[in-house]
Amino acid sequence: TKASLKDILSTQIKKKISAKIMSPTIILPFKQNFDTACECWAIKTGDLIAKSHEQNLIATSVQDQAYEKYELFWNQANFAYYPSINAFRSNQDEGVFKVLDDSSLKVQVDVLKAQVKDIMQEDPQTRLSAEIPSIKLNLSKRIYQHLIKTCLLYTSPSPRDS
């Protein structure tokens, strides 16, 4: 079986994939009146990077060659309070409170190649491993109260739901 697996894998085409999706920043104003002087939350959803793992391109064990390996990186996600939408737009630091510091996540995805699924029926078809370096959350009594008010504002039923 190992010889036939090795033969199958030696004829495989190597793939190299790399993609980056830049994150948007979502602004949630405290008041729904289009006033740019009102307080707001700024949520940066984080950049997403997907790429093939270098092991796809270099010789490794036969078992490892049976999998296509990909890495997903999600980084620079954060959440902050701004004293106004204008302060956010002008990159003002005064009065800004970072609730969630820049956070990241790394995921390795290993997918069993279609050509070897019959030979390697006992092996998992997909393997995942994730790494979260750290998450730093900052709260004060005032910020906590703003979070509760925001939840109530955005989850309260609209007049048409009544």
Side-chain angles (χ1 to χ4, degrees):
T1 305
K2 282 197 174 197
S4 62
L5 177 61
K6 190 174 182 176
D7 292 338
I8 291 171
L9 292 173
S10 67
T11 62
Q12 296 296 308
I13 296 173
K14 307 287 189 239
K15 298 176 189 172
K16 186 172 182 180
I17 297 170
S18 181
K20 183 174 185 177
I21 301 171
M22 303 296 287
S23 69
T25 300
I26 300 168
I27 303 299
L28 294 177
F30 285 16
K31 296 179 182 174
Q32 302 296 308
N33 62 3
F34 302 103
D35 181 7
T36 58
C38 81
E39 298 166 294
C40 69
W41 298 114
I43 305 166
K44 185 169 182 193
T45 57
D47 298 340
L48 180 65
I49 300 167
K51 65 181 190 173
S52 52
H53 195 278
E54 289 81 28
Q55 284 185 340
N56 284 349
L57 305 175
I58 58 174
T60 57
S61 72
V62 174
Q63 187 76 13
D64 276 346
Q65 288 179 22
Y67 287 89
E68 291 190 85
K69 300 176 184 313
Y70 302 95
E71 292 177 321
L72 302 173
F73 299 94
W74 174 67
N75 58 27
Q76 297 181 345
N78 60 53
F79 180 62
Y81 161 86
Y82 280 82
S84 71
I85 295 172
N86 292 332
F88 169 78
R89 288 180 177 163
S90 64
N91 288 324
Q92 182 180 346
D93 286 336
E94 189 177 328
V96 174
F97 187 91
K98 277 221 167 175
V99 178
L100 176 66
D101 287 344
D102 283 352
S103 298
S104 64
L105 169 69
K106 177 183 175 183
V107 178
Q108 181 169 325
V109 181
D110 299 343
V111 180
L112 191 63
K113 294 177 181 177
Q115 296 84 347
V116 298
K117 284 184 181 178
D118 290 339
I119 297 171
M120 300 180 67
Q121 292 176 359
E122 300 297 316
D123 292 280
Q125 292 195 15
T126 305
R127 301 183 301 199
L128 294 173
S129 63
E131 185 180 309
I132 301 173
S134 68
I135 296 176
K136 185 175 179 190
L137 192 62
N138 306 299
L139 285 177
S140 69
K141 184 176 180 179
R142 182 170 165 247
I143 293 299
Y144 176 77
Q145 290 170 340
H146 282 313
L147 284 168
I148 296 300
K149 287 178 185 176
T150 302
C151 289
L152 293 173
L153 174 68
Y154 285 96
T155 60
S156 62
S158 64
R160 63 179 170 218
D161 291 342
S162 306

